[in-house]
Amino acid sequence: MAAGCRGALIVLEGMDRAGKTTQGRRLVDALRASGQTAELLRFPERSTEIGKLLSSYLERKINLEDHTVHLLFSANRWEQVPLMKEKLNQGITLIVDRYAFSGVAFTSAKENFSLDWCKQPDVGLPKPDLILFLQLSTVEAATRGSFGTERYENNAFQEKALQSFHKLMKDKTLNWKVIDASKNIEDLHKEIHHLSKEAIKEAGKKPIGELWKL
């Protein structure tokens, strides 16, 4: 890798059970096999104190007020920012399983939450070089393993969150790519790997950007 080249920030988004975690792991393995330095990061990052609280909430072990939950999810991302920037500047490509877009889409699917309010806490996060949205119908998602084990895994809620994702995708300042997640795992991986290689090439030419400068 050329001196001074930073790693790319590549985000996998999509509804629950779309295959983000599987594809994230495969992408990291493929990039490493081709000589890239790459690491996988998942949000919420459940190992921190905030992350443990969010994990209990998602598993329905505790209840939290909706504004509080949204801010905790954002705080969970912010506490990883120094490490993310350090790794990107070291030339490490980060593959991120869910990011601010999930936070905004899921909270704005609740009653009385606007997209603008939901975006505010994440303004200034590192801007992704590529956002891969794994598109899968809620009907198909519900047939996949373990659907329904966590708080937001029900069809009506997922449909509302999907509508919010589509609104977020209209932002032309972000590099969104929509991918058909109903493809078989191997074909999906090949498409993701191809798009990621392009993004990594481009990322090295520019500094880390900021998300949603409002």
Side-chain angles (χ1 to χ4, degrees):
M1 180 175 292
C5 275
R6 71 169 175 87
L9 180 59
I10 297 171
V11 172
L12 291 165
E13 282 286 9
M15 304 316 296
D16 292 335
R17 310 295 158 189
K20 296 177 298 300
T21 304
T22 300
Q23 292 299 333
R25 289 194 190 114
R26 290 190 67 135
L27 180 56
V28 167
D29 289 345
L31 292 173
R32 286 175 175 169
S34 64
Q36 291 278 349
T37 316
E39 293 183 16
L40 185 65
L41 183 60
R42 296 183 68 186
F43 285 114
E45 168 47 71
R46 300 189 191 213
S47 65
T48 68
E49 289 308 309
I50 294 172
K52 288 171 189 169
L53 195 61
L54 289 170
S55 192
S56 294
Y57 169 78
L58 288 169
E59 291 162 9
R60 300 189 181 96
K61 292 174 183 170
I62 59 168
N63 287 318
L64 294 165
E65 193 274 333
D66 286 336
H67 296 78
T68 308
V69 167
H70 185 73
L71 296 172
L72 285 170
F73 272 110
S74 181
N76 183 247
R77 290 183 280 276
W78 276 107
E79 61 185 351
Q80 297 301 315
V81 166
L83 187 62
M84 287 170 70
K85 286 184 173 176
E86 185 184 328
K87 290 189 175 198
L88 291 169
N89 285 322
Q90 287 171 353
I92 299 168
T93 285
L94 295 178
I95 309 304
V96 182
D97 179 353
R98 291 205 185 283
Y99 199 44
F101 313 104
S102 278
V104 172
F106 280 83
T107 300
S108 63
K110 298 175 181 179
E111 293 296 316
N112 303 317
F113 283 91
S114 70
L115 272 185
D116 282 345
W117 186 89
C118 293
K119 285 162 78 172
Q120 288 288 346
D122 290 305
V123 169
L125 281 177
K127 181 180 178 179
D129 298 289
L130 174 64
I131 311 155
L132 297 159
F133 187 81
L134 276 58
Q135 180 100 296
L136 187 71
S137 74
T138 51
V139 175
E140 186 167 348
T143 68
R144 296 192 171 185
S146 303
F147 184 87
T149 59
E150 289 202 331
R151 188 176 288 264
Y152 296 132
E153 291 181 351
N154 72 73
N155 282 354
F157 189 85
Q158 297 274 320
E159 280 291 350
K160 285 183 185 169
L162 186 56
Q163 288 167 18
S164 294
F165 268 120
H166 285 300
K167 287 175 188 168
L168 291 171
M169 285 183 224
K170 291 177 181 171
D171 184 346
K172 300 302 180 196
T173 68
L174 294 168
N175 184 20
W176 285 92
K177 300 287 183 202
V178 179
I179 298 174
D180 178 5
S182 66
K183 290 179 180 178
N184 70 57
I185 288 174
E186 190 54 40
D187 288 344
L188 192 54
H189 165 67
K190 283 176 184 168
E191 187 175 355
I192 287 170
H193 191 200
H194 172 72
L195 290 167
S196 299
K197 284 193 289 188
E198 292 296 312
I200 291 166
K201 221 181 290 178
E202 290 301 310
K205 302 173 187 173
K206 53 185 191 254
I208 300 166
E210 289 189 354
L211 181 62
W212 294 327
K213 295 179 185 175
L214 297 184

